[in-house]
C-alpha cells in the first residue's frame, strides 16, 4: 500500500448544494421525488448534471444506452484508460435524495477539486451516471453499467419494454439522451463508487467509512406449496394438509438457520399469498418468495441446498407438494483488494475509522468489476433507511466520504 | 330412551331425484351451481321447493325474512307446537348439491313418507328452509334461523346491504318471498337438522351416522404485527424487526398447540398479507386471521388466553408491535341430550353404527337450539369436501340418514 495524502479537501458546501438541487428535480405536487429512467423527470435531472459537468470544465459524453460521462483529460491522454467514478441519478418511486446521486455528484466534486487545485493526473479521470440502475421502469436493474461492461447488448437493452408499455430506446431518443458513443468506449483503469450504505451497520457501530470488499451473491426463488383446502371447523388437526402452516415452517426454518449461521448469511421472505384466502378454509396453496444472500458462493450454495433438503422433509412430513422456481441468481462479487486497501488507508490518514464490509445491495460497481479493478466506499445511512424519503446521511459523513473518494482517486491517477 | 322403530322407510329414489333436480337449478352456462340468498337463482330453487311442498299435500307458509315452511297438521292441531325439521337451500358460489338442500328435501321426504303411511302424529310436523344460511351475499350467516329464534330483529335483517349493494328486504320482495308470517310464528316442540358432515371424520372411520351432541364455539380474530421495513440485503439478521417472520411464529405456535391439545381444539390461519409485499424488503406489517374452535367454552377461552400470552412474549422478543381485533365470537352450543339419544337409538335399530360428535361448522340448528330442544344428524362427506362442486355423499348414506331422521321425527311426534 503506497497511499499518501494530498492535504486537499473537497468543497463540502458545493457538494451538499448540488445534492439538494438535484433532489428538488422531479418532485410531484405532493413533494414526492421520482425520476424513473428515461422519463421527463429523468431528463430534467440529466440536464442539470450535464450543466454541472460543463460548468466544471469537463467534456460531456453520452453513449447509446444513455450513460452520461464527464471526462477530464489532457489532449495527450485521449487514448488512455481513465480512472472512473460512477453511480446513477435515476430513482425509485418516492425516493430519497442520496441513493446514487451522492456518488455521481461527489465524483464530479472530486474531479473539480483536483482540477482547481492544479493536480496533474497521470491519466484521465471521469465521472459516470449510468442509466436505469434502479430497474423500476425497465428490467433488469443496473442496466446501463451492465451494457457498458458488455454483459448485455445495447440493442437488446434499448428494446426493453417498461412497466408503462414504453420502449427504452424510444424514450431515450425522446428526452435527448440516445447518445452516439458505443457503450464501453472508455475501458477504465479502475472504477470507484461512493454510496450510502442503505443498511444500519455503519451507523450502529459509529463508523463513518465502509471499505466494501465484496458484494453478496443473491438467490431468489419462488416456493409453491400445494396442500388441500378443507373446512377450518370440521377438519381435525391430524387430518390437515395445510399449505399455509407448511409455509410458516419454511419461514421460521430460514430465519433460525440464517441467524445461527457462521457466515454473514441473510434470508428474507418478503411476499406471501394463501389460497383460497378465506378465514374459515385451510389454505390449499401458499406461494412465497425466498431471498437468500451470502458474500461467499460456496456458502450461498450450502444455504440453497439446506433449503432444498428442508423442503423435501417438510413435504413428506406434512403431506404437501412443494415446488420451487428460480427467479434470479447472481454469484458474489469480490472487489479489488488494492482499491479496498486504498480506501482504508485514506480513511486512516483522515483520522476516520473504517470497516471492511459486504454490500448487501446491488450497485453499478458489480458490473464494472467485470472489466476493471473496482470497489465501493460506503457512508452511514441513518436507521438503514433507503428507497424512502426518510433516507438520510448526516452532512459531515457525506463530506468525509467524498474526501476519502478524493484521496483514493488522486492516488489511482497519480 | 323410549325409541322404537316404525318399520317404515323413506322413498329413497324420490329423495335422490329431488336432490338432483334442485341441484340443476341455478347453474351458469359453465355448469357452476350458485343460488345466493334472494337472488333470481334462489327464487327458482324456492319455487321448486314450494311446488314439492304442495305436491306432498302440505301447507306452505313464508315469513317476513323469507323462511319457507311446509306444514303438516290436522285442523285440531293448529295451535300446537310442531316438530320442525330444517336446513337451507341457498348455496355458496360454485357449490355442491348436498349442503343444506339434503336436510330440507329429506325433511320433506320424511313428512311425505309418514303421511303416505297413514301415521297419525300427536302434533304438527313441519319442514323449514331458512333464508341466507350461507351468508355469502348478506351478513350474518344463518340469518333466517337467527331471526326466527329472536336473535336479530327482522327489520334490521331486512335492511342488510349485500356484497352487490342490494338490500335483502327489497330483493325478497322482488323475487316474491317477502312473506307475511312473523318470524317465530310457530314455536317448535323440537328441531332436528340432517346435514352432510362437511368434514372427514365419519368417512375415515367408516361410520354412517353422526349423532351431533354439540357445536364448536368459534373465536375469530385479526392479528396485525408491525415491524420495520428494511432492505433484505443490507440488514443483518439480528437487527431485523421482521413482521412476516413473527407472523410465521404465530402460525406454528397455533398449530403445535392445537395438535397437542387434549381437547378437540382446531386452529386455522386462512388469510395473510405482508406489506410492502416486495421480494427484497423485510415485511413492515403482517396481517392474518386466526380461527380457533372448541366445543368447550372454558377450553376455547384457554386457547384465546394462550394466544394472547404468546403474542405478548413474541412482541417483546422480536421488537414488534402486535394488535388483535375481534371479528366474531360464538360460544359452543350443547344440543338436546334426549334427541341425541334418539338419533343413536334409531341408528342402532337400523343396524347402522353411529358416533357422538361435534359440529365444526355452523348450522341453523345452533340458532334453533335457543328456543327448543334441538340436534343434528350427520352423514359422511367423501374426503370432507364441502362448499365445492366435488362435495359428495354416497347414495346409501343419504338414504340411511333420512331413515334415521324419519325414526327420530316419528318418535318426537308420536
Amino acid at each position: 500500500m503506497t497511499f499518501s495524502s494530498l492535504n486537499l479537501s473537497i468543497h463540502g458546501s458545493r457538494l451538499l448544494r448540488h445534492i439538494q438541487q438535484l433532489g428538488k428535480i422531479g418532485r410531484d405536487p405532493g413533494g414526492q421525488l421520482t425520476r424513473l429512467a428515461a422519463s421527463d423527470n429523468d431528463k430534467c435531472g440529466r440536464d442539470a448534471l450535464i450543466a454541472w459537468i460543463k460548468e466544471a470544465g469537463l467534456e460531456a459524453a453520452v453513449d447509446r444506452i444513455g450513460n452520461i460521462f464527464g471526462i477530464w483529460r489532457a489532449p495527450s491522454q485521449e487514448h488512455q484508460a481513465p480512472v472512473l467514478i460512477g453511480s446513477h441519478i435515476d430513482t425509485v418511486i418516492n425516493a430519497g435524495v442520496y441513493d446514487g446521486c451522492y456518488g455521481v455528484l461527489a465524483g464530479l466534486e472530486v474531479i473539480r477539486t483536483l482540477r482547481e487545485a492544479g493536480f496533474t493526473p497521470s491519466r484521465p479521470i471521469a465521472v459516470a451516471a449510468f442509466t436505469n440502475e434502479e430497474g423500476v421502469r425497465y428490467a433488469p436493474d443496473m442496466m446501463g453499467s451492465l451494457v457498458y461492461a458488455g454483459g448485455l447488448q445495447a440493442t437488446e437493452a434499448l428494446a426493453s419494454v417498461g412497466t408503462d408499455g414504453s420502449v427504452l430506446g424510444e424514450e431515450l431518443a425522446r428526452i435527448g439522451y440516445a447518445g452516439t458513443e458505443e457503450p464501453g468506449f472508455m475501458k477504465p483503469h479502475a472504477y470507484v463508487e461512493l454510496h450510502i450504505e442503505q443498511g444500519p451497520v455503519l451507523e450502529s457501530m459509529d463508523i463513518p467509512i465502509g471499505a466494501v470488499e465484496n458484494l453478496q451473491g443473491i438467490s431468489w426463488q419462488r416456493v409453491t406449496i400445494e396442500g388441500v383446502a378443507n373446512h377450518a371447523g370440521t377438519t381435525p388437526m391430524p387430518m390437515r394438509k395445510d399449505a399455509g402452516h407448511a409455509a410458516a415452517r419454511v419461514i421460521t426454518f430460514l430465519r433460525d438457520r440464517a441467524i445461527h449461521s457462521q457466515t454473514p448469511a441473510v434470508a428474507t421472505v418478503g411476499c406471501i399469498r394463501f389460497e383460497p384466502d378465506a378465514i374459515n378454509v385451510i389454505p390449499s396453496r401458499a406461494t412465497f418468495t425466498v431471498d437468500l444472500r451470502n458474500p461467499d458462493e460456496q456458502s450461498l450454495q450450502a444455504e440453497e441446498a439446506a433449503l432444498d433438503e428442508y423442503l423435501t422433509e417438510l413435504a413428506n412430513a406434512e403431506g404437501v407438494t412443494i415446488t420451487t422456481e428460480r427467479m434470479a441468481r447472481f454469484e458474489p462479487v469480490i472487489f479489488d483488494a488494492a482499491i479496498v486497501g486504498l480506501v482504508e488507508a485514506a480513511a486512516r490518514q483522515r483520522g476516520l475509522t473504517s470497516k471492511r464490509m459486504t454490500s448487501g445491495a446491488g450497485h453499478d460497481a458489480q458490473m464494472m468489476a467485470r472489466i476493471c479493478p473496482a470497489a465501493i466506499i460506503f457512508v452511514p445511512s441513518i436507521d438503514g433507511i433507503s428507497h424512502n424519503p426518510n433516507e438520510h446521511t448526516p452532512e459531515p459523513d457525506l463530506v468525509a466520504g467524498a474526501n476519502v473518494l478524493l484521496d483514493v482517486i488522486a492516488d489511482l491517477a497519480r
Side-chain angles (χ1 to χ4, degrees), chain A residues 79-149:
Chain A
H79 299 292
Q80 258 184 296
V83 173
L84 187 61
I85 310 163
S87 199
H88 62 96
I89 63 166
D90 70 315
T91 75
V92 296
I93 295 165
N94 195 20
V97 303
Y98 303 107
D99 183 351
C101 304
Y102 169 52
V104 172
L105 296 174
L108 184 63
E109 179 59 38
V110 160
I111 297 175
R112 203 163 171 177
T113 299
L114 289 171
R115 196 161 174 272
E116 288 168 357
F119 178 81
T120 309
S122 63
R123 53 179 65 253
I125 305 178
V127 60
F130 293 107
T131 295
N132 190 40
E133 194 272 348
E134 295 291 4
V136 175
R137 194 176 182 203
Y138 303 98
D141 55 359
M142 297 172 278
M143 183 190 274
S145 50
L146 178 63
V147 170
Y148 196 85

Side-chain angles (χ1 to χ4, degrees), chain A residues 22-362:
Chain A
L22 184 53
K24 288 199 175 87
I25 297 172
R27 289 192 182 266
D28 69 14
Q32 291 196 348
L33 172 62
T34 305
R35 291 195 309 269
L36 301 186
S39 65
D40 289 340
N41 285 351
D42 188 24
K43 172 188 164 52
C44 297
R46 287 165 174 267
D47 288 351
L49 177 62
I50 291 281
W52 290 326
I53 284 172
K54 290 182 174 164
E55 184 185 300
L58 310 188
E59 182 186 334
V62 181
D63 71 10
R64 286 175 58 214
I65 194 68
N67 297 323
I68 293 175
F69 299 86
I71 309 165
W72 178 32
R73 61 184 164 195
S76 65
Q77 294 173 329
E78 199 164 341
H79 299 292
Q80 258 184 296
V83 173
L84 187 61
I85 310 163
S87 199
H88 62 96
I89 63 166
D90 70 315
T91 75
V92 296
I93 295 165
N94 195 20
V97 303
Y98 303 107
D99 183 351
C101 304
Y102 169 52
V104 172
L105 296 174
L108 184 63
E109 179 59 38
V110 160
I111 297 175
R112 203 163 171 177
T113 299
L114 289 171
R115 196 161 174 272
E116 288 168 357
F119 178 81
T120 309
S122 63
R123 53 179 65 253
I125 305 178
V127 60
F130 293 107
T131 295
N132 190 40
E133 194 272 348
E134 295 291 4
V136 175
R137 194 176 182 203
Y138 303 98
D141 55 359
M142 297 172 278
M143 183 190 274
S145 50
L146 178 63
V147 170
Y148 196 85
L152 176 65
Q153 289 295 317
T155 313
E156 191 181 335
L158 290 167
S160 299
V161 176
T163 52
D164 53 359
S166 64
V167 176
L168 175 58
E170 294 170 7
E171 285 289 280
L172 281 173
R174 185 180 67 79
I175 66 168
Y177 282 90
T180 53
E181 300 288 354
E182 198 57 37
F185 70 103
M186 294 187 297
K187 184 181 180 311
H189 170 69
Y191 176 87
V192 186
E193 183 159 357
L194 175 62
H195 207 284
I196 58 170
E197 181 194 341
Q198 301 179 276
V201 176
L202 290 174
E203 189 210 2
S204 69
M205 299 179 77
D206 199 20
I207 293 176
I209 298 293
V212 182
E213 58 182 349
N214 54 13
L215 188 140
Q216 289 177 327
I218 296 181
S219 166
W220 280 4
Q221 295 179 78
R222 182 178 290 115
V223 180
T224 302
I225 302 183
E226 306 271 359
V228 176
N230 261 315
H231 195 294
T234 61
T235 314
M237 299 305 292
M239 300 180 76
R240 297 178 174 215
K241 295 180 178 181
D242 183 336
H245 160 253
R249 290 275 171 219
V250 179
I251 296 172
T252 59
F253 167 82
L254 289 170
R255 163 75 164 225
D256 291 344
R257 191 173 162 91
I259 215 160
H260 295 115
S261 170
Q262 298 306 310
T263 72
V266 289
T268 308
V269 173
C271 302
I272 194 164
R273 295 279 180 286
F274 284 178
E275 291 176 29
D277 192 34
I279 184 169
N280 59 348
V281 181
I282 298 162
S284 57
R285 179 183 291 179
T287 313
F288 57 97
T289 56
V290 175
D291 174 323
L292 298 176
R293 305 198 193 196
N294 202 300
D296 177 70
E297 174 60 22
Q298 285 195 312
S299 300
L300 185 56
Q301 286 178 14
E303 294 305 315
E304 292 177 318
L307 173 59
D308 276 354
E309 194 179 328
Y310 182 74
L311 294 180
T312 303
E313 283 168 23
L314 185 70
N316 290 334
E318 297 290 327
V320 294
T321 306
I322 307 184
T323 53
T324 61
E325 178 193 344
R326 168 72 63 200
M327 298 172 73
R329 182 65 163 79
F330 299 106
E331 287 196 15
V333 174
I334 311 292
F335 290 120
D336 184 75
I339 302 180
V340 176
L342 278 179
V343 173
E344 289 183 306
R348 195 162 47 241
Q349 198 97 14
R350 294 220 174 234
L352 303 166
T353 51
S354 71
K355 174 180 164 54
R356 289 205 169 218
M357 59 194 301
T358 294
S359 175

